[in-house]
């Protein structure tokens, strides 16, 4: 997987983690995902489930940076293959919030479907796909425009998503 890493993180069963430094992978509870380097330090993005924030951690110093306000109850994070954007799934409001990884600033949230739970990004980085457990759909998002496309019926309650390379 072109240098991708996936690791269990003990004690973090209720949070989603993504790391900006290698190849993008879907992230969910107790997993890590990597994307290409954005600078001298890697950043781990922690979805603070039950809150409205994502906490970036500088992995070179193991220090938390200022929390980034996203939507209610962030559940999962995926990072584009170029490492420039982290997409955060917000279960409560049914949105996805893009975060610019160079500035660690949230961009405007994108409305998807009820109960989004998971996200994956296509290997070419052009589309983020969101599994919406509340509506039985998957919503594609153009990463170039951050616009949601038409929802795709996917079954009773999609909970996870993965995309072939």
């Amino acid at each position: 997987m072109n240098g991708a890493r996936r690791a269990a993180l003990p004690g973090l069963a209720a949070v989603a983690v993504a790391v900006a430094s290698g190849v993008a992978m879907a992230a969910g509870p107790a997993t890590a995902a990597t994307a290409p380097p954005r600078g001298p330090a890697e950043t781990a993005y922690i979805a603070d489930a039950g809150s409205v924030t994502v906490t970036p951690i500088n992995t070179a110093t193991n220090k938390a940076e200022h929390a980034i306000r996203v939507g209610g109850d962030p559940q999962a994070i995926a990072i584009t293959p170029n490492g420039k954007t982290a997409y955060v799934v917000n279960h409560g409001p049914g949105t996805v919030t893009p975060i610019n990884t160079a500035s660690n600033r949230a961009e405007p949230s994108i409305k998807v479907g009820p109960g989004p739970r998971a996200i994956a990004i296509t290997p070419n980085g052009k589309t983020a796909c969101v599994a919406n457990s509340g509506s039985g759909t998957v919503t594609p998002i153009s990463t170039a425009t951050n616009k949601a496309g038409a929802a795709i019926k996917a079954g009773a309650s999609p909970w996870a998503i993965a995309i072939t390379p």
Side-chain angles (χ1 to χ4, degrees):
M1 281 202 192
N2 195 17
R5 296 190 306 263
R6 188 171 262 247
L9 299 174
L12 294 181
V15 297
V17 179
V19 180
S21 76
V23 170
M25 295 173 64
T31 63
T34 59
R38 69 176 175 100
E42 295 177 345
T43 302
Y45 290 91
I46 313 301
D48 302 321
S51 75
V52 295
T53 62
V54 166
T55 301
I57 296 175
N58 179 318
T59 61
T61 63
N62 287 330
K63 302 281 185 198
E65 297 176 3
H66 293 289
I68 303 164
R69 190 172 181 87
V70 291
D73 198 15
Q75 296 283 307
I77 302 170
I79 299 173
T80 55
N82 66 10
K84 292 182 178 183
T85 308
Y87 285 89
V88 181
V89 172
N90 305 306
H91 183 73
T95 62
V96 169
T97 302
I99 294 174
N100 178 315
T101 60
S103 65
N104 277 342
R105 293 191 185 264
E107 297 176 4
S109 291
I110 305 158
K111 190 72 175 162
V112 289
R117 289 283 183 182
I119 188 166
I121 298 176
T122 57
N124 66 8
K126 292 183 179 183
T127 307
C129 298
V130 182
N132 304 305
S133 65
S135 62
T137 62
V138 171
T139 301
I141 297 171
S142 165
T143 59
T145 63
N146 284 340
K147 302 277 186 221
I152 303 160
K153 192 68 181 153
S157 183
W159 202 267
I161 188 166
I163 299 173
T164 58

